[in-house]
Amino acid sequence: CPEGEKAYKQGEWNQVRVRMHGTTPRIEVWINGRKTTDYELPADAKGYAPSGRIGLQVHGGENVPATQTACFKNLTLRELPVFD
């Protein structure tokens, strides 16, 4: 997304905060303190798991070589109360 590209610092450590809440769910993302995503999954969406595993991934685009790696550090998870 354009906002994410503006906030992302190429070749540096970036701080990413993801907040996912609600049973629909709503997903908010901040990159380096800048809110880049605020998305709510449509109520009639099929195929998503309301609970389960957490996956970390990076979508690098067409020009990123297959040998490119992503590194993560200082991960913190916090369970939020269930609400809608």
Side-chain angles (χ1 to χ4, degrees):
C1 84
E3 287 301 310
E5 289 177 17
K6 291 176 190 173
Y8 184 77
K9 298 174 187 172
Q10 185 71 30
E12 297 180 37
W13 285 106
N14 290 273
Q15 182 184 36
V16 179
R17 177 179 176 225
V18 178
R19 184 172 195 251
M20 184 171 170
H21 55 94
T23 56
T24 305
R26 180 177 176 191
I27 302 166
E28 298 172 278
V29 179
W30 293 261
I31 299 176
N32 298 319
R34 183 179 193 164
K35 192 171 194 175
T36 60
T37 304
D38 190 343
Y39 175 77
E40 188 164 345
L41 193 69
D44 61 349
K46 293 180 175 37
Y48 81 94
S51 64
R53 297 185 173 132
I54 296 171
L56 301 173
Q57 64 183 32
V58 174
H59 296 280
E62 298 173 12
N63 300 322
V64 177
T67 57
Q68 186 81 18
T69 60
C71 299
F72 302 92
K73 68 177 185 175
N74 301 330
L75 299 175
T76 303
L77 300 176
R78 181 172 42 164
E79 187 173 352
L80 299 174
V82 177
F83 64 92
D84 240 351

